């Protein structure tokens, strides 16, 4: 397994390279955005660990260009800013996961293993399921050719469901990915958001795509 780390803080980069090498990964390091993008587009990696704040080209732009070039390499973002906006923006651009600095190496390793188990990222420039389509770069979603009017949160939620379609997503996972990691998953905010999303993407149409899996969570799939 080959991993690319794009990180401008030399100490962090060296520490991650050493730790991941010891775990048996082949690790390359890019020290700024342009170099990271060049490596990520020319070499086949199983995963890219991408810092958001980078010189020359930031992590958002690297991810955007990577996806635009058709590369589906999974991307784990490292961000110092634990804001909801970053989370939403990353999901829309097709990031696979986030880790907020500072983090424990064991946590990074667990996230990396989880992404690698999931297999190649399923998103392309357009994410499609049946007649439901989402275009992350143009920030538009359609069902049966009709433009869907979604709030930023609903858009992020739909991005997550499409990215991981056919996979049952727990409320906790949804809350972590779309809201804050420290979010209290006992509240029903996820259910409310899913209900609103369903009203827009499913209610007007005969074929339902967003399903409730009792006691577990939700899944977007064709039945
Ligand atoms: Ca940085």
């Amino acid at each position: 397994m080959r991993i690319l780390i794009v990180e401008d803080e030399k100490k962090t980069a060296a520490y991650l390279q050493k730790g991941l090498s010891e775990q048996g990964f082949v690790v390359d390091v890019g020290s700024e955005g342009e170099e990271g993008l060049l490596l990520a587009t020319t070499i086949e990696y199983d995963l890219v660990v991408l810092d958001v704040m980078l010189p020359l080209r930031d992590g958002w732009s690297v991810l955007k260009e990577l996806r635009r070039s058709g590369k589906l390499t999974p991307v784990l973002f490292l961000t110092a800013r634990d804001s909801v906006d970053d989370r939403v923006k990353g999901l829309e651009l097709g990031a696979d996961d986030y880790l907020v600095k500072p983090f424990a190496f064991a946590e990074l390793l667990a996230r990396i293993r989880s992404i690698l188990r999931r297999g190649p990222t399923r998103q392309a420039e357009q994410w499609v399921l049946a007649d439901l389509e989402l275009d992350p770069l143009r920030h538009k979603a359609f069902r049966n050719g009709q433009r869907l009017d979604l709030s930023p949160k609903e858009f992020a939620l739909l991005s997550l469901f499409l990215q991981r379609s056919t996979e049952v997503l727990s409320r906790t996972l949804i809350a972590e990915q779309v809201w804050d990691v420290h979010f209290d998953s006992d509240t029903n905010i996820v259910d409310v958001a899913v209900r609103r999303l369903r009203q827009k993407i499913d209610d007007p149409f005969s074929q339902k795509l967003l399903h409730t899996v009792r006691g577990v969570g939700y899944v977007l799939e064709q039945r």
Side-chain angles (χ1 to χ4, degrees):
M1 289 280 185
R2 188 161 191 165
I3 294 182
L4 172 65
I5 297 167
V6 189
E7 168 63 86
D8 59 311
E9 291 157 48
K10 288 199 165 55
K11 264 177 76 177
T12 311
Y15 165 74
L16 294 180
Q17 186 171 30
K18 182 168 181 289
L20 292 171
S21 300
E22 282 169 4
Q23 295 295 322
F25 294 102
V26 176
V27 186
D28 293 338
V29 174
S31 58
E32 38 81 4
E34 288 290 353
E35 186 190 9
L37 180 62
L38 183 67
L39 286 167
T41 47
T42 50
I43 296 170
E44 284 301 323
Y45 290 101
D46 296 289
L47 182 104
V48 179
V49 177
L50 185 58
D51 188 31
V52 172
M53 303 300 285
L54 289 168
L56 301 186
R57 186 187 270 279
D58 69 17
W60 306 125
S61 166
V62 172
L63 176 60
K64 210 177 215 171
E65 282 305 314
L66 189 65
R67 295 292 181 249
R68 195 171 274 157
S69 75
K71 284 275 183 190
L72 304 180
T73 319
V75 169
L76 169 68
F77 257 128
L78 299 181
T79 172
R81 303 168 300 172
D82 187 16
S83 80
V84 169
D85 281 355
D86 278 6
R87 226 166 261 287
V88 169
K89 190 170 175 185
L91 276 173
E92 285 172 8
L93 290 175
D96 295 79
D97 202 354
Y98 268 91
L99 206 50
V100 177
K101 290 177 174 178
F103 53 83
F105 181 75
E107 175 67 11
L108 175 74
L109 195 58
R111 301 286 185 100
I112 286 175
R113 292 214 162 113
S114 155
I115 294 172
L116 293 176
R117 264 199 305 274
R118 233 182 267 160
T121 307
R122 283 181 242 166
Q123 73 246 357
E125 290 209 346
Q126 293 256 352
W127 306 343
V128 180
L129 181 75
D131 58 356
L132 178 65
E133 293 167 53
L134 184 141
D135 182 338
L137 295 178
R138 288 172 197 82
H139 204 276
K140 287 177 183 168
F142 304 89
R143 176 100 204 242
N144 192 26
Q146 290 168 251
R147 172 95 187 260
L148 299 166
D149 181 22
L150 304 177
S151 72
K153 267 292 170 350
E154 289 161 352
F155 195 87
L157 191 56
L158 183 58
S159 302
L160 178 66
F161 277 124
L162 271 169
Q163 206 171 332
R164 297 173 71 167
S165 61
T166 73
E167 196 178 325
V168 179
L169 305 180
S170 70
R171 287 175 179 77
T172 309
L173 184 142
I174 295 169
E176 272 178 14
Q177 295 286 317
V178 181
W179 286 271
D180 193 81
V181 275
H182 307 301
F183 177 89
D184 177 4
S185 57
D186 288 340
T187 72
N188 68 350
I189 191 161
V190 172
D191 299 303
V192 172
V194 167
R195 199 178 309 137
R196 288 217 186 98
L197 180 64
R198 198 177 251 157
Q199 280 168 3
K200 294 181 181 176
I201 70 164
D202 266 353
D203 287 2
F205 307 94
S206 59
Q207 187 188 14
K208 308 302 176 195
L209 298 173
L210 186 49
H211 308 278
T212 303
V213 181
R214 282 204 195 289
V216 186
Y218 297 98
V219 59
L220 186 75
E221 67 180 3
Q222 294 194 68
R223 288 187 173 169

